[in-house]
Amino acid sequence: MDQFDHPFFAPPWRRYATVAVCILWGLFELWNGTVLWGILFLCIGMFAQRQFGLVDWSKYDAGE
């Protein structure tokens, strides 16, 4: 699960966009009545938010 600690996600907007897309897609799926896919994407978004919060992003700030 160390894939979240990647330089690609160093800019905060990429982390926010990743989580937002997953959550919004999950809500879209729920709105369309596909509960399984909605719950799946909501869980992926929540998991990504949690994992991004555990990473020490200050090590990438020094490289800027």
Side-chain angles (χ1 to χ4, degrees):
M1 290 298 168
D2 61 343
Q3 295 296 324
F4 291 91
D5 185 11
H6 193 276
F8 176 79
F9 292 116
W13 70 269
R14 288 184 181 161
R15 298 190 300 266
Y16 296 141
T18 301
V19 172
V21 166
C22 291
I23 297 293
L24 291 173
W25 192 258
L27 293 173
F28 174 75
E29 291 290 349
L30 288 174
W31 182 65
N32 279 329
T34 51
V35 178
L36 177 67
W37 287 108
I39 291 173
L40 178 69
F41 276 96
L42 288 174
C43 289
I44 291 171
M46 290 185 297
F47 178 75
Q49 176 62 37
R50 181 181 177 275
Q51 292 300 108
F52 285 142
L54 295 176
V55 175
D56 179 23
W57 296 105
S58 63
K59 62 184 172 184
Y60 295 109
D61 293 339
E64 291 181 1

